[in-house]
């Protein structure tokens, strides 16, 4: 029954995307008449719908993130995805999904791949130019302007570009001229490594995408060929309906990824729908090696004050961070601690090892940072603000529920506390939930997006930055702690109380 097409065909309408809870959809036109984009904000991620110009050039923007540090959303563009041998899969037809569609469009066409040889060198250069022109934020005020950038375009395209390697060199030089160390070119190999970063343990990357009726669903936008999910029959574009029987309707892509994480070698059962209107199937997928827990905790005794405190070290932000942190802190609370210590020293976020391997937060890093901060904040309190040229980047992340933990909190930071860690530190400090102890933080508060170009290469572009709930620009400044060494618990509670009273006043 694996991969069986729906008996009721389906048509994907060309209607504009609808707003989501996380952001609003916008339709924009690039300066060139060749290309038109439709974008949607999902959590802090954005993707382009595939639109095709008269020359059949599909616009495939693999990743566009408005996230702290350099958070990355992934969309792998794979070749023709035929059904694997039946022996590879364990799928059962599920007819519970209603069929209300008129015509079925082959799923392969949703992710049509265009040969890189069909794209001219000049088109690749102009595509990179347009991305910068649409989205780049000159966060360090180095004199960028649309007029100067247009002159740059005219200069580089004034003569033919004889080879693809020359086109890539031209893009590198264009990006270097911006004076932003985080905006740079990625070779096809570098982009491929980045795009295949697996947050789930079964070889897929997930995104929140509206279906034909505008309902937001979690779909497979990246899949590792010959990975566990692919060999089981799951395909790019499939919607995840449930994980081990738990309905994922209304959950974010990060939350679904967290449900998939577990010990290597165990199995997970997913209910998956092929396309917006296809039948649902159950797939039993064997997990491969996944991220290790980033949490270490212990109970400590302060003899001088006759009290116990709970110490929790968070080494990095990944899909396991929130779940394991909650477990650790609840166990410490059950042990009767008077205060919690959250150690974020040397935590630079969540690293994706591409070249150069620095300051690249994964999707899980940013989202986990937001979710972890919310564990301690009152409903309605701001976690962080993101700002940029694009209105969709300008967002406020706010706690939606009451806090899970209310004990006094000490956050340990140092010069290597960066990116997603700074989001947590700033949110807890500015909302009077914690005191900061240690050294001034790194100061990495820029937002990057990663775009795939038509030949499989990519560019990383700074599109915004984030600021603290008290509107402090973190980038280049960092966060100054309250104490250099852990103070007496009485001073901790006094400072938090004083901050709260001043905030209310």
């Amino acid at each position: 029954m694996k991969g069986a097409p729906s008996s009721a065909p389906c048509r994907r309408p060309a209607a504009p995307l609808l707003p989501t809870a996380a952001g609003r959809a916008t339709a924009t036109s690039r300066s060139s008449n060749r290309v038109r984009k439709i974008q949607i904000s999902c959590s802090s991620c954005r993707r382009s719908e595939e639109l095709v110009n008269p020359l059949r050039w599909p616009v495939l923007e693999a990743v566009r993130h408005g996230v702290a540090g350099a958070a990355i959303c992934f969309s792998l563009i794979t070749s023709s995805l035929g059904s694997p041998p039946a022996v590879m899969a364990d799928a059962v037809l599920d007819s519970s999904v209603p069929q209300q569609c008129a015509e079925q469009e082959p799923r392969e066409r949703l992710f049509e791949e265009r040969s890189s040889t069909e794209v001219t060198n000049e088109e690749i250069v102009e595509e990179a130019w347009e991305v910068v022109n649409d989205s780049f934020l000159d966060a360090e005020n180095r004199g960028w302007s649309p007029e100067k950038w247009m002159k740059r375009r005219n200069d580089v395209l004034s003569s033919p570009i004889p080879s693809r390697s020359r086109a890539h060199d031209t893009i590198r030089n264009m990006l270097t001229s911006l004076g932003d160390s985080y905006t740079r070119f990625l070779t096809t190999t570098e982009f491929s490594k980045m795009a295949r970063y697996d947050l789930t343990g079964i070889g897929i990357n997930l995104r929140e995408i509206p279906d034909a009726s505008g309902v937001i669903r979690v779909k497979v936008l990246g899949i590792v060929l010959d990975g566990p999910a692919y060999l089981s029959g799951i395909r790019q574009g499939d919607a995840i309906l449930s994980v081990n029987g738990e309905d994922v309707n209304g959950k974010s892509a990060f939350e679904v990824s967290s449900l998939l994480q577990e010990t290597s070698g165990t199995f997970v059962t997913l209910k998956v729908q092929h396309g917006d209107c296809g039948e649902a199937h159950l797939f039993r997928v064997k997990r491969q090696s996944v991220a290790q827990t980033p949490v270490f905790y212990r109970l400590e005794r302060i003899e001088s004050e006759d009290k116990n405190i709970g110490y929790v070290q968070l080494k990095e932000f990944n899909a396991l961070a929130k779940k394991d942190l909650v477990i650790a802190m609840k166990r410490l609370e059950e042990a009767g601690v008077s205060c919690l210590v959250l150690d974020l020293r040397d935590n630079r976020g969540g690293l994706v090892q591409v070249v150069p391997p620095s300051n690249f937060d994964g999707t899980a890093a940013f989202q986990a940072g937001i979710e972890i901060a919310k564990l301690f904040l009152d409903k309605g309190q701001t976690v962080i603000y993101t700002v940029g040229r694009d209105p969709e980047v300008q967002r406020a992340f706010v706690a939606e529920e009451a806090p899970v933990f209310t004990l006094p909190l000490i956050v340990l930071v140092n010069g290597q506390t960066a990116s997603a860690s700074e989001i947590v530190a700033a949110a807890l400090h500015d909302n009077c939930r914690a005191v900061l102890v240690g050294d001034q933080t790194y100061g990495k508060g820029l937002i990057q997006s990663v775009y795939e170009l038509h030949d499989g290469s990519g560019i990383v572009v700074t599109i915004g930055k984030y600021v603290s709930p008290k509107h402090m620009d973190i980038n280049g400044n960092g966060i100054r702690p309250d104490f250099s060494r852990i103070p007496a618990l009485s001073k901790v509670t006094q400072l938090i109380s004083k901050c709260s009273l001043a905030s209310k006043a």
Side-chain angles (χ1 to χ4, degrees):
M1 306 297 289
K2 172 184 64 63
S6 169
S7 57
C10 169
R11 180 185 299 276
R12 296 178 75 250
L17 300 178
L18 300 178
T20 73
R24 53 190 179 79
T26 62
T28 63
S29 296
R30 288 186 173 182
S31 57
S32 168
N33 292 327
R34 292 183 293 101
V35 179
R36 184 168 67 90
K37 294 192 298 182
I38 291 180
Q39 297 175 339
I40 185 164
S41 169
C42 71
S43 202
S44 322
C45 315
R46 281 187 232 140
R47 81 175 181 89
S48 291
E49 278 293 287
E50 177 180 333
L51 298 178
V52 183
N53 70 338
L55 297 178
R56 299 295 298 166
W57 181 0
V59 181
L60 297 169
E61 178 188 295
V63 192
R64 186 177 180 185
H65 271 261
V67 295
I72 301 168
C73 226
F74 306 98
S75 173
L76 301 188
I77 309 305
T78 59
S79 57
S80 175
L81 302 180
S83 298
V87 69
M88 296 289 189
D90 184 3
V92 180
L93 179 64
D94 187 308
S95 59
S96 62
V97 179
Q99 306 299 315
Q100 302 175 349
C101 305
E103 180 183 348
Q104 181 70 35
E105 182 177 9
R107 282 186 296 128
E108 287 76 3
R109 290 185 60 189
L110 304 183
F111 300 92
E112 182 178 12
E113 183 177 6
R114 183 171 184 259
S115 171
S116 63
T117 59
E118 299 176 18
V119 184
T120 68
N121 300 321
E122 290 77 14
E123 286 174 331
I124 291 295
V125 170
E126 185 166 11
E127 185 180 16
W129 179 90
E130 287 174 340
V131 169
V132 173
N133 190 61
D134 290 345
S135 304
F136 175 69
L137 177 70
D138 185 12
E140 299 182 358
N141 299 316
R142 296 183 179 271
W144 182 89
S145 70
E147 294 76 20
K148 290 181 180 179
W149 193 240
M150 177 61 74
K151 183 179 184 303
R152 186 77 181 182
R153 171 193 178 277
N154 294 338
D155 289 343
V156 299
L157 294 177
S158 61
S159 58
I161 301 174
S163 66
R164 189 52 51 90
S165 62
R166 181 68 64 84
H168 290 172
D169 287 341
T170 299
I171 295 172
R172 287 189 183 93
N173 292 334
M174 288 167 52
L175 300 183
T176 299
S177 72
L178 298 172
D180 176 33
S181 60
Y182 296 104
T183 296
R184 61 187 184 274
F185 176 78
L186 298 174
T187 66
T188 55
T189 300
E190 290 166 352
F191 183 86
S192 178
K193 288 180 180 178
M194 181 181 294
R196 291 179 182 272
Y197 184 61
D198 179 18
L199 300 175
T200 64
I202 62 172
I204 59 175
N205 288 308
L206 304 176
R207 289 286 299 278
E208 298 149 24
I209 300 172
D211 61 15
S213 62
V215 176
I216 302 301
R217 311 175 75 187
V218 174
K219 292 191 175 183
V220 178
L221 256 290
I223 189 162
V224 178
L225 297 179
D226 297 325
Y230 178 81
L231 293 178
S232 295
I234 296 173
R235 289 293 177 267
Q236 204 170 24
D238 289 351
I240 307 299
L241 305 181
S242 70
V243 177
N244 285 335
E246 180 177 344
D247 187 358
V248 300
N249 181 44
K251 293 186 181 295
S252 68
F254 168 72
E255 291 173 318
V256 177
S257 295
S258 297
L259 291 175
L260 294 173
Q261 287 270 12
E262 194 51 75
T263 306
S264 177
T266 59
F267 287 85
V268 59
T269 300
L270 288 79
K271 181 189 286 188
V272 172
Q273 183 182 6
H274 294 324
D276 289 343
C277 313
E279 293 175 329
H281 296 76
L282 295 177
F283 293 91
R284 188 167 179 262
V285 185
K286 187 175 183 179
R287 296 179 175 98
Q288 59 187 6
S289 179
V290 297
Q292 300 297 311
T293 178
V295 176
F296 169 79
Y297 67 101
R298 65 175 180 264
L299 183 69
E300 291 196 357
R301 179 76 175 170
I302 302 179
E303 296 295 342
S304 60
E305 300 190 31
D306 192 29
K307 292 180 179 179
N308 291 328
I309 65 169
Y311 170 86
V312 182
Q313 180 186 31
L314 183 59
K315 298 177 181 179
E316 67 172 350
F317 293 84
N318 61 22
L320 296 177
K322 179 184 176 182
K323 178 178 68 174
D324 290 355
L325 187 69
V326 169
I327 292 173
M329 288 194 163
K330 284 187 175 180
R331 288 179 178 174
L332 291 169
E333 278 192 336
E334 292 169 357
V337 299
S338 302
C339 177
L340 291 168
V341 176
L342 177 60
D343 190 350
L344 297 179
R345 291 174 297 181
D346 301 319
N347 185 331
R348 298 173 65 87
L351 296 184
V352 180
Q353 297 300 331
V354 294
V355 179
S358 60
N359 295 323
F360 261 94
D361 277 341
T363 307
F366 176 76
Q367 293 185 340
I370 296 292
E371 295 302 317
I372 285 171
K374 290 178 181 179
L375 295 173
F376 304 92
L377 300 182
D378 292 327
K379 183 177 180 179
Q381 288 185 317
T382 300
V383 178
I384 204 76
Y385 296 102
T386 57
V387 297
R389 288 173 57 204
D390 189 335
E392 286 191 38
V393 177
Q394 301 175 21
R395 291 197 51 201
F397 293 85
V398 178
E400 302 91 356
E401 300 176 355
V404 177
F405 303 105
T406 57
L407 285 174
L409 186 64
I410 298 171
V411 178
L412 305 183
V413 297
N414 64 7
Q416 297 303 309
T417 299
S419 200
S421 294
E422 289 176 292
I423 291 177
V424 175
L428 301 183
H429 184 263
D430 284 9
N431 286 293
C432 307
R433 276 296 292 119
V435 297
L436 304 185
V437 177
D439 301 317
Q440 188 164 328
T441 64
Y442 183 84
K444 175 66 170 67
L446 295 181
I447 300 167
Q448 276 85 39
S449 288
V450 182
Y451 298 82
E452 183 182 23
L453 303 180
H454 278 79
D455 66 347
S457 62
I459 58 173
V460 182
V461 180
T462 295
I463 64 167
K465 61 183 178 179
Y466 56 81
V467 297
S468 76
K470 290 187 176 180
H471 302 282
M472 184 188 75
D473 189 347
I474 295 174
N475 188 63
N477 300 310
I479 307 169
R480 190 179 299 276
D482 302 296
F483 303 97
S484 59
R485 295 184 179 181
I486 295 180
L489 296 186
S490 58
K491 287 188 177 182
V492 172
T493 56
Q494 287 173 8
L495 187 59
I496 292 176
S497 177
K498 182 180 178 181
C499 177
S500 297
L501 291 174
S503 178
K504 292 177 181 178

